[in-house]
Amino acid sequence: MSGGVGPTCKDIRLPKEEEEEDDERHHHHLEGIPENESNKKLKKSSKKRYLTFRQLNALAVILVFSASGMVSIEDFSFVLFSFFYMLFISKVAFPSLSPTPEPPVFGHNNKILSLYVSLAALVGLFLPIAYIFEGILTGDKEGIKAASPHVFLLGSQVFLEGVSVHGDFSLPVRVFVPVLYNSRRIFTLVEWLRTEIRKGDEDFGGIVRRLHVGRGLAIINLVLWCYNLFGFLLPVYLPRAFKRYYSEHHKVKD
């Protein structure tokens, strides 16, 4: 990711694909292929890999949740709006300054970041999906309804982060996706936690263990994504992305 959970730069990013691109560029260099020809080949190969395995998984989550009726019209509209707005600002405000994809802000082989992204994917996506599937088996309709918006939006974020990276969008556009989605998902997580607390206040007839798991997941995700937004994306990632973009902008002008 990129600060969210996808392939943008730091949420749930795709360092592996960037390593492949580096290897391919290095291979072209060893073969003596000129840099401009190498860039063209890299661009073509990146288009071939436009839908990665991670993006396909995210797309599957989006389609399954949409088809099952677990997604509200508001959340679906939000995803559509974010996609078209991303296209809009990429043309009007932050056009790409390079014919090849811009390198990630924190480099290709940041092990701490990769570990953080993997943890975020586990806590933010895989565990809530398992919680929802168990809710289907146990008939916990309230828990499913409360957890689904977060999972749907996070899956949409991962997919759009991949689009922003492999679609050759500029760094400001790439950082826009996790910041926007992270901000939106905080509200869905608060609502998820409220639902789990209300279930305890009422005469809960379900599995007590599930009640505690639901509350724990909601709290952990709320803490994780609040930190991700206010401790990483806004104070660290966003300024560095804009600094690199505008320094490149001045180089192009000169």
Side-chain angles (χ1 to χ4, degrees), residues 93-215:
F94 305 108
S96 180
L97 303 175
S98 172
T100 56
E102 298 176 60
V105 174
F106 294 93
H108 296 298
N109 302 311
N110 193 315
K111 292 183 179 179
I112 296 177
L113 183 60
S114 297
L115 181 63
Y116 173 63
V117 164
S118 300
L119 176 65
L122 175 66
V123 174
L125 202 58
F126 299 123
L127 291 181
I129 287 176
Y131 174 78
I132 290 171
F133 281 149
E134 188 194 38
I136 295 173
L137 298 175
T138 58
D140 181 14
K141 293 182 180 179
E142 278 190 84
I144 295 171
K145 186 178 179 182
S148 293
H150 162 71
V151 174
F152 172 75
L153 290 172
L154 187 52
S156 301
Q157 176 185 330
V158 172
F159 181 75
L160 278 185
E161 285 186 358
V163 171
S164 69
V165 170
H166 299 292
D168 297 341
F169 288 86
S170 64
L171 280 177
V173 177
R174 283 155 61 176
V175 77
F176 159 77
V177 177
V179 169
L180 179 68
Y181 274 83
N182 207 148
S183 303
R184 169 66 174 150
R185 284 188 294 102
I186 286 175
F187 292 99
T188 65
L189 288 168
V190 169
E191 189 55 39
W192 181 9
L193 182 57
R194 283 177 179 168
T195 300
E196 296 294 343
I197 292 174
R198 279 199 304 267
K199 281 161 59 176
D201 293 338
E202 299 165 1
D203 188 15
F204 182 64
I207 304 172
V208 177
R209 173 190 58 79
R210 179 170 172 80
L211 180 64
H212 294 314
V213 169
R215 288 180 178 179

Side-chain angles (χ1 to χ4, degrees), residues 182-183 186 225-236:
N182 207 148
S183 303
I186 286 175
W225 298 111
C226 280
Y227 164 76
N228 193 62
L229 180 64
F230 298 111
F232 175 70
L233 285 176
L234 295 179
V236 180

